[in-house]
Amino acid sequence: MNKIYWGGIKVKGNRRLIPGELVDNITRKEALKLINEFLNKVEKYRDILLSDSRTPFDRYIIALDEFINNLEFKLGENGNQSIVEKGSNHYSNEANKDLTKVIIETKKSMVRIAESMLGLLKRVRKRWLRVGKHELEQLINELIRGGEARILVSGEPNKENKSFAVHLYTRHIAITISRKANGSRTIALTLTKLKGIHITIPKLFDDIILNAMEYGLLLTDGTIDRAGYPRMNTHNLWQAIIWILSYPGKVHIYVSGISINDDNVSVAWVLTTMNHGVKNKKEVVERAIKFSDDDF
């Protein structure tokens, strides 16, 4: 039987928990429920998680390729002309020129962002096929055979309104299978030692538009890291691109891993803006409520 431990205090400089005491039978039972959910999900998506050719990153790579090709086509001579013709019906010649310039520069920036994300994804894909997939396969075999995998837990196993999680580790993967306080289940595979990239984008919109974009993103799906920088974790390509456009200057991007959901396997992006500090979300709310209806 696989041994299951309470997760002890994290070692300084290491995000992983260390084994504490062995759990009791009640806690063990709850942990095994989550592990079985994990095994069932992996089996459901075996064709992309444990394949030698397909990966969880492929559909994102295809989507970015198509996005780039579409933008580059629109940035061609015919695409630029169509922008001018459409805008001329609603704006003066001078305003139309300004609008056309903003649209073109925005599309060019989106191409740069998408190309950077695509390059990063391709590197992560190679790493997954080289080490990630094999380590996941080995871990699955250890869990099924019993006696080899080291399993750690944290949280409250006996209280449905409290969170409870199982933690599994390989050399390059950290897996967290969580039962949230609201009853939902999440499975996150974090790939360790992945390097991200920095991308710098110019200011494309005026302050009112940028602030509205920033506040909206930060107050919904955004967070603030310990250094006071706005950060977003997302599985949506469109949201990642909009986040970067909303924060002119340098943004750090990396792929933290993948999430296994009921309906798909999704890539987890982490974006941190490096030129816009903020204390907390309360400060953002105070700024946002000063906006007039016209500003919005």
Side-chain angles (χ1 to χ4, degrees), residues 9-241:
I9 300 173
K10 296 178 183 179
V11 178
K12 185 176 182 180
N14 189 346
R15 295 185 178 182
R16 301 188 174 196
L17 297 172
I18 61 172
E21 298 179 354
L22 287 170
V23 303
D24 55 44
N25 287 332
I26 295 176
T27 303
R28 180 181 179 85
K29 182 179 179 180
E30 293 301 312
L32 290 176
K33 288 181 182 178
L34 292 182
I35 292 171
N36 284 333
E37 287 189 33
F38 168 65
L39 293 174
N40 289 336
K41 290 284 179 62
V42 172
E43 182 61 29
K44 180 179 180 180
Y45 296 110
R46 168 179 286 273
D47 61 333
I48 58 173
L49 288 172
L50 301 178
S51 169
D52 290 329
S53 57
R54 298 183 62 195
T55 77
F57 311 99
D58 294 350
R59 68 186 180 97
Y60 288 82
I61 290 173
I62 292 171
L64 283 170
D65 262 328
E66 292 177 348
F67 183 66
I68 292 168
N69 290 336
N70 185 46
L71 281 175
E72 288 181 338
F73 173 77
K74 289 182 178 180
L75 281 168
E77 184 175 336
N78 291 336
N80 288 346
Q81 184 62 33
S82 66
I83 292 172
V84 174
E85 290 172 353
K86 290 178 181 178
S88 62
N89 297 324
H90 304 283
Y91 301 95
S92 66
N93 289 337
E94 195 61 36
N96 182 56
K97 289 179 182 179
D98 292 339
L99 175 63
T100 301
K101 182 178 179 181
V102 170
I103 292 173
I104 292 172
E105 292 304 315
T106 300
K107 288 182 176 180
K108 287 181 179 179
S109 293
M110 287 194 291
V111 169
R112 285 185 52 215
I113 294 168
E115 287 176 339
S116 299
M117 295 173 70
L118 180 60
L120 179 61
L121 262 186
K122 288 181 177 179
R123 293 203 301 271
V124 176
R125 183 184 189 277
K126 288 181 180 179
R127 186 178 179 85
W128 174 260
L129 289 173
R130 189 173 67 250
V131 296
K133 190 269 292 189
H134 299 291
E135 290 187 9
L136 176 60
E137 193 168 30
Q138 183 179 358
L139 174 63
I140 296 302
N141 291 332
E142 290 174 355
L143 288 170
I144 293 173
R145 287 197 302 264
E148 298 179 44
R150 188 170 66 178
I151 303 166
L152 284 70
V153 301
S154 62
E156 296 283 349
N158 305 320
K159 297 180 180 179
E160 289 296 328
N161 62 340
K162 300 288 185 179
S163 61
F164 177 62
V166 170
H167 308 271
L168 305 167
Y169 300 118
T170 69
R171 183 178 179 185
H172 297 98
I173 305 175
I175 301 171
T176 303
I177 313 151
S178 303
R179 183 198 72 203
K180 301 296 185 181
N182 61 6
S184 65
R185 306 290 199 268
T186 61
I187 301 174
L189 282 73
T190 301
L191 306 176
T192 61
K193 298 181 180 179
L194 289 179
K195 293 183 179 180
I197 58 173
H198 287 93
I199 184 167
T200 302
I201 293 297
K203 182 178 179 180
L204 299 167
F205 312 105
D206 64 37
D207 289 337
I208 291 178
I209 293 175
L210 284 175
N211 289 339
M213 293 165 67
E214 293 166 6
Y215 300 161
L217 289 167
L218 192 52
L219 291 175
T220 50
D221 297 326
T223 59
I224 300 168
D225 69 9
R226 292 181 180 180
Y229 294 126
R231 170 177 291 182
M232 172 173 282
N233 293 30
T234 183
H235 298 99
N236 300 310
L237 289 175
W238 70 265
Q239 202 169 35
I241 292 171

